[in-house]
Amino acid sequence: MVKTFERGVFLPHYKKFSEDKPITRLPLPRELVIPLRQHTGAPCRPLVAAGDKVEAGQKIGASDAFVSAAVHTGLSGVVREVAKRPNIAGEMVDCVIIDVDQGQEFPTWPAEDYAGLPVDEIKARIREAGIVGMGGAAFPTHVKLSPPREIDLVVINGCECEPFLTCDHRLMLERADDLIEGSRLISKVLGGPKVIFGVETNKPDAIAVLEQKLVKEKDMELVQLDVKYPQGAEKQLIYAVSGRKVPPGKLPFDVGVVVQNVATAIAVLEAVRNRKPLVDRVLTLTGPGTPNPGNYQFFIGTTISHVIESTGGLQDDVVKVVVGGPMTGWAQLDLQAPLTKGAGGILALTGEVTQVTDYMACVRCGKCVDHCPMFLYPNYIGVYGELGRYQQAEQWGAMDCFECGVCVYVCPSRRPIVSFVRRTKKAAAERHRAATRQAL
Ligand code: SF4
Ligand code: SF4
């Protein structure tokens, strides 16, 4: 039976550009720009300085905070400088900038025997490798695998519900054994709960491959999910596969569940089996504005421009470049921004698939309320957020909004409600920081 969640929207898929393209590696970049903050939690401090020689896999940033994730370089080279650069969200962040040794071989990490490793050592390897959730949230994985209560269900998120993106689809097809083994390790760390793979029905080939391999796994199963957005959001996914509702303000572990994305599960395996740090990942370069759409493996810190230039550039009719998916991604003004552990896509959009229009006043049609998967009132959040009355926006649930963009998609006035939510959250964080400073 195909399952789903309540509300949400049916979107055009736009997966055809890249869903049949096998994963390929991009050529070596000339430089890596590696942000010291590319995860939820405390930023890293640099462990290197200008002029230092670095080797592939070397840790170049770390933090003593538990909620943080170390950063490494995937390529050898020389540190040019540690300096602020704009990230994909337009914020200035500290980065280690490395002139990459040209002509080097792509690094490899040989497999070790890991069968009898105790749970603490598995977790230590995951933390040391700097693994974060690769579905976009970039939450440190070692933290997620240390929940404060018992977990009886692991959900592996293979929805990839945003239009255009296909990198997780290709990973499920091309690396199904590694995905299953990584998921087994995640379950082992959590005490051995059942594992459910949630996959939308627009990936029938991946479903067939996984179902055939899962036949012999007694505590693993695959659940097919309707192609609806945001099916891959944690709370919606948990409800669809298990019927459990995560209450507002609570987290998946409060209902005994941990969710991990498919790319993260594979990275976990590589960290434990190969001691490979998270130095590369796969993204989907796609859209009608790129001549060579596909699924490309790149090193963390590669700039957007390197990906675009090494795949044939952009067509003249591109009106917008987005990093991430079309619903939750970030429109780019500067193609020199570096790609991080959470970057799953670059979209080259033309006027055929996107609108660049001004927004208008709310006409009180109620469509955003009808479709919001969190049962919020996006209209009020938007109005108060726009006026800078952030505490009232919070009262209407802005902090429970996970920025899926459904309200923006259905709004006839094209109101940028997610931008208003982000402003509200930023104001709340500043208020919290000011209160903390005053209390000290
Ligand atoms: S208010 Fe937030 S959660 Fe609700 S539809 Fe809009 S972006 Fe999604
Ligand atoms: S969909 Fe747009 S116009 Fe309609 S109520 Fe919501 S914010 Fe207002």
Side-chain angles (χ1 to χ4, degrees):
M1 187 180 79
V2 175
K3 297 184 174 178
T4 192
F5 63 100
E6 297 169 72
R7 301 196 177 180
V9 282
F10 296 97
L11 301 173
H13 302 186
Y14 292 126
K15 307 267 191 189
K16 64 177 171 32
F17 296 102
S18 58
E19 65 189 350
D20 296 326
K21 303 285 172 64
I23 296 167
T24 54
R25 251 189 202 286
L26 288 173
L28 278 184
R30 301 207 75 76
E31 66 169 8
L32 289 178
V33 180
I34 304 177
L36 290 163
R37 178 167 60 83
Q38 45 180 306
H39 48 264
T40 304
C44 294
R45 65 181 185 284
L47 303 178
V48 293
D52 286 356
K53 175 98 184 79
V54 291
E55 299 300 329
Q58 184 176 330
K59 195 194 292 184
I60 58 167
S63 166
D64 296 331
F66 184 58
V67 185
S68 186
V71 292
H72 307 72
T73 173
L75 294 167
S76 68
V78 175
V79 176
R80 190 191 314 151
E81 58 179 337
V82 179
K84 288 201 185 297
R85 290 288 173 87
N87 66 10
I88 57 164
E91 303 161 337
M92 297 301 283
V93 292
D94 290 323
C95 296
V96 175
I97 300 154
I98 297 169
D99 290 318
V100 170
D101 292 341
Q102 296 302 297
Q104 66 184 285
E105 300 283 319
F106 287 116
T108 54
W109 281 268
E112 298 177 8
D113 180 10
Y114 64 100
L117 285 182
V119 163
D120 283 351
E121 174 60 17
I122 293 173
K123 276 211 266 195
R125 290 189 187 190
I126 292 168
R127 183 175 184 179
E128 183 62 21
I131 310 289
V132 300
M134 294 164 75
F139 193 80
T141 301
H142 67 273
V143 181
K144 221 173 180 184
L145 296 184
S146 309
R149 56 154 287 174
E150 192 183 333
I151 298 299
D152 64 4
L153 178 62
V154 170
V155 180
I156 300 297
N157 187 352
C159 293
E160 204 164 46
C161 60
E162 286 238 21
F164 288 102
L165 303 185
T166 57
C167 53
D168 286 353
H169 180 177
R170 294 309 307 183
L171 285 172
M172 286 188 280
L173 263 181
E174 298 178 34
R175 300 195 59 188
D177 289 326
D178 286 347
L179 169 59
I180 292 168
E181 182 58 10
S183 306
R184 194 178 286 121
L185 279 172
I186 288 167
S187 172
K188 179 176 175 178
V189 168
L190 294 166
K194 176 180 179 167
V195 177
I196 293 179
F197 295 79
V199 187
E200 288 191 341
T201 54
N202 60 352
K203 304 167 189 66
D205 47 1
I207 289 172
V209 167
L210 283 171
E211 280 188 331
Q212 188 252 325
K213 289 180 185 290
L214 291 176
V215 166
K216 54 183 186 301
E217 303 289 339
K218 87 175 157 36
D219 289 324
M220 293 186 174
E221 68 169 291
L222 186 143
V223 171
Q224 296 193 31
L225 298 165
D226 202 357
V227 186
K228 191 169 71 163
Y229 182 84
Q231 185 69 79
E234 279 194 339
K235 292 183 179 183
Q236 285 63 34
L237 177 58
I238 291 168
Y239 178 75
V241 301
S242 71
R244 300 181 198 181
K245 286 192 173 172
V246 183
K250 297 291 182 186
L251 294 168
F253 68 70
D254 288 304
V255 296
V257 183
V258 162
V259 180
Q260 293 287 352
N261 156 273
V262 295
T264 314
I266 293 171
V268 162
L269 172 65
E270 292 178 335
V272 176
R273 181 186 64 190
N274 308 71
R275 291 182 188 260
K276 180 187 170 193
L278 182 48
V279 292
D280 59 8
R281 66 159 294 154
V282 181
L283 65 63
T284 306
L285 170 67
T286 183
T290 174
N292 288 301
N295 300 288
Y296 295 102
Q297 190 168 355
F298 69 96
F299 288 98
I300 306 302
T302 297
T303 58
I304 302 166
S305 61
H306 175 71
V307 178
I308 289 174
E309 284 160 19
S310 57
T311 51
L314 294 175
Q315 289 172 191
D316 291 343
D317 54 349
V318 167
V319 295
K320 197 193 272 186
V321 173
V322 172
V323 171
M327 300 296 284
T328 59
W330 298 85
Q332 299 299 304
L333 295 174
D334 180 359
L335 299 185
Q336 296 310 312
L339 296 161
T340 57
K341 298 173 184 177
I346 298 177
L347 315 182
L349 303 177
T350 61
E352 176 196 339
V353 292
T354 191
Q355 288 181 326
V356 184
T357 53
D358 280 344
Y359 70 91
M360 292 172 286
C362 171
V363 295
R364 302 186 180 189
C365 66
K367 284 187 180 170
C368 55
V369 180
D370 290 343
H371 290 274
C372 173
M374 292 300 288
F375 299 86
L376 301 174
Y377 289 84
N379 49 342
Y380 291 130
I381 294 172
V383 166
Y384 288 122
E386 182 180 20
L387 293 172
R389 290 161 66 175
Y390 299 123
Q391 277 165 307
Q392 276 160 297
E394 277 182 57
Q395 281 162 10
W396 283 101
M399 306 309 278
D400 288 321
C401 164
F402 62 97
E403 302 171 23
C404 68
V406 163
C407 50
V408 182
Y409 179 78
V410 297
C411 176
S413 297
R414 314 302 303 167
R415 290 180 59 71
I417 296 167
V418 171
S419 301
F420 301 140
V421 167
R422 285 176 179 161
R423 277 190 219 167
T424 302
K425 288 181 179 174
K426 203 170 164 194
E430 278 162 15
R431 258 199 333 276
H432 178 71
R433 272 197 295 276
T436 309
R437 271 198 303 275
Q438 216 166 25
L440 289 175

